[in-house]
């Protein structure tokens, strides 16, 4: 395991096995996770339901005891320095668990007290302002909308100024406008130096926001690469050809996967390592098709995710 200060989190050989019962066998939730997350990154931790994402996050948070392996958080060993590692993290859970009997201001003050933040160093109103909740500081939580409650969870996670913010499905059930507002506020925190770790099922969200992506499947880390490198690793592209005149049947084009869509365009899937666009266009011309327009459709994160987790071609 590395203690290099450039890494916010470093994990080596992390495993978790839940003991069996009379009705079910033991379950190996994590199978030796090796992972380095750079300081200052926006890291996306993706995977299907039950892949092991939440187990890994709960281990980081000290809520679940790992079976084996080592973890370093902001340079502190998870086993030797549990107080320092927990103080280095701000965690926004998937479930809304705000206490409805306190106002946002009171809730943040209590949270700061739990982390031992002296009153002279608390930034309660500043945090509420940054997250668009300043005018709700003295309102009772039960009166807040769902989106405001989610922002309040982010605020509570930041009361002790942790260098790492972990967001577990933070926009689940949030409408598009509130999702956009929340990410603007989170990315503002990132611009101030906070390392952001995100789990989400909205792959377009991860593709837009994250600079590095790790994918967990069946308890194993199947890939962890910079986003641009990960997207370019998928040897599959699609060429869209718009004919000058409507065509009635799909040309063979050397056995490539070719579909004639309802809009009249041909969508041709090919592997750049094996086929050149010029050869495809030559085949289209030989089939007697005059081309009005062409464009390429790059692989997206969903294509990579499906191939990595389910073995499906993009």
């Amino acid at each position: 395991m590395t203690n290099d200060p450039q890494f916010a989190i470093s994990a080596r050989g992390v495993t978790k096995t839940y003991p069996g019962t009379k009705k079910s066998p033991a379950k190996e939730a994590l199978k030796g996770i090796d992972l380095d997350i750079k300081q200052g990154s926006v890291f996306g931790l993706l995977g299907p339901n039950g892949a092991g994402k939440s187990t890994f996050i709960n281990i980081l948070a000290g809520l679940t005891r790992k079976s084996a392996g080592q973890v370093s958080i902001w340079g502190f060993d998870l086993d030797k320095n549990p107080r320092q590692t927990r103080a280095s993290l701000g965690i926004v859970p998937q479930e809304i668990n705000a206490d409805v009997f306190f106002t946002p201001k009171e809730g943040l003050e209590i949270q700061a007290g739990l982390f031992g933040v002296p009153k002279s160093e608390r930034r309660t109103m500043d945090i509420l302002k940054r997250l668009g909740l300043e005018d709700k500081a003295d309102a009772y939580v039960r009166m807040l909308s769902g989106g405001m409650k989610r922002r309040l969870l982010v605020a509570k996670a930041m009361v002790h100024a942790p260098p790492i913010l972990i967001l577990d499905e933070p926009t689940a059930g949030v409408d598009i406008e509130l999702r956009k507002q929340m990410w603007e506020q989170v990315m503002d925190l990132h611009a101030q130096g906070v390392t952001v770790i995100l789990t989400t099922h909205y792959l377009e969200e991860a593709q837009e926001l994250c600079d590095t992506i790790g994918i967990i499947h069946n308890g194993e880390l199947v890939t962890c690469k910079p986003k641009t490198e990960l997207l370019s690793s998928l040897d599959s592209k699609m060429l869209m050809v718009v004919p000058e005149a409507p065509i009635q049947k799909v040309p063979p084009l050397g056995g490539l996967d070719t579909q004639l869509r309802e809009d009249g365009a041909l969508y041709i899937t090919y592997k750049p390592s094996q086929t050149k666009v010029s050869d495809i266009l030559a085949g289209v011309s030989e089939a007697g098709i005059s081309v009005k327009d062409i464009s390429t459709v790059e692989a997206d994160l969903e294509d990579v995710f499906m191939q990595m987790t389910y073995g499906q071609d993009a």
Side-chain angles (χ1 to χ4, degrees):
M1 183 176 67
T2 179
N3 286 317
D4 192 320
Q6 69 173 305
F7 294 114
I9 291 175
S10 182
R12 288 293 178 274
V14 175
T15 67
K16 177 59 183 178
T17 301
Y18 291 100
T21 65
K22 292 182 179 180
K23 296 183 178 180
S24 61
K27 179 183 178 182
E28 194 175 14
L30 295 178
K31 305 172 183 177
I33 299 294
D34 293 336
L35 177 63
D36 290 320
I37 300 175
K38 287 186 177 181
Q39 289 188 20
S41 66
V42 181
F43 185 90
L45 186 63
L46 311 180
N49 289 329
K53 305 185 301 297
S54 294
T55 298
F56 184 70
I57 288 175
N58 287 338
I59 287 173
L60 297 181
L63 300 176
T64 297
R65 187 183 297 273
K66 56 186 170 55
S67 300
Q70 291 178 290
V71 176
S72 172
I73 300 174
W74 211 251
F76 298 107
D77 185 278
L78 179 63
D79 298 319
K80 297 176 181 178
N81 308 105
R83 182 185 294 268
Q84 290 90 337
T85 56
R86 291 177 190 177
S88 299
L89 297 175
I91 299 180
V92 181
Q94 182 175 350
E95 300 81 12
I96 295 177
N97 58 7
D99 193 325
V100 298
F101 296 103
F102 296 103
T103 66
K105 182 178 178 180
E106 291 169 340
L108 263 62
E109 285 290 312
I110 292 171
Q111 188 82 351
L114 292 173
F115 276 98
V117 181
K119 287 189 176 182
S120 61
E121 297 178 15
R122 295 178 189 176
R123 305 169 297 116
T124 297
M125 291 308 299
D126 178 55
I127 294 172
L128 289 174
K129 182 178 180 180
R130 283 160 59 187
L131 287 164
L133 293 170
E134 184 180 22
D135 61 337
K136 302 294 183 182
D138 297 313
Y140 283 102
V141 170
R142 62 176 176 269
M143 304 301 293
L144 301 182
S145 68
M148 289 179 179
K149 288 176 183 176
R150 288 211 175 270
R151 278 184 273 162
L152 181 57
L153 293 181
V154 177
K156 289 180 67 176
M158 297 305 297
V159 294
H160 58 298
I164 305 169
L165 180 64
I166 298 179
L167 302 112
D168 189 9
E169 297 287 344
T171 55
V174 176
D175 65 42
I176 294 175
E177 183 178 356
L178 287 175
R179 189 182 305 172
K180 181 181 178 182
Q181 291 175 2
M182 183 171 175
W183 280 120
E184 286 175 351
Q185 289 143 359
V186 169
M187 296 310 288
D188 179 58
L189 293 172
H190 173 253
Q192 297 172 41
V194 176
T195 300
V196 177
I197 300 172
L198 162 71
T199 75
T200 181
H201 284 100
Y202 297 110
L203 298 183
E204 69 280 4
E205 190 171 73
Q207 181 167 338
E208 179 181 354
L209 297 167
C210 299
D211 52 59
T212 308
I213 302 288
I215 298 177
I216 290 182
H217 185 48
N218 290 332
E220 299 179 317
L221 187 70
V222 295
T223 189
C224 181
K225 294 180 180 179
K227 176 180 64 180
T228 52
E229 184 180 334
L230 189 62
L231 293 175
S232 64
S233 68
L234 195 62
D235 187 23
S236 179
K237 285 188 177 182
M238 185 178 289
L239 182 69
M240 182 183 72
V241 176
V242 180
E244 284 280 2
I247 59 176
Q248 301 303 317
K249 84 179 198 180
V250 177
L253 299 181
L256 294 176
D257 180 11
T258 306
Q259 299 178 23
L260 180 61
R261 303 280 178 91
E262 292 183 359
D263 58 7
L266 282 173
Y267 285 77
I268 306 159
T269 303
Y270 67 101
K271 296 182 181 296
S273 63
Q274 300 176 7
T275 307
K276 296 180 179 179
V277 172
S278 58
D279 293 337
I280 297 175
L281 294 177
V284 170
S285 179
E286 289 174 7
I289 300 172
S290 297
V291 176
K292 179 180 180 181
D293 190 22
I294 62 169
S295 62
T296 56
V297 180
E298 300 286 344
D300 61 17
L301 188 56
E302 182 176 354
D303 298 323
V304 177
F305 182 83
M306 293 300 292
Q307 187 179 77
M308 291 286 182
T309 56
Y310 299 108
Q312 297 183 14
D313 292 332

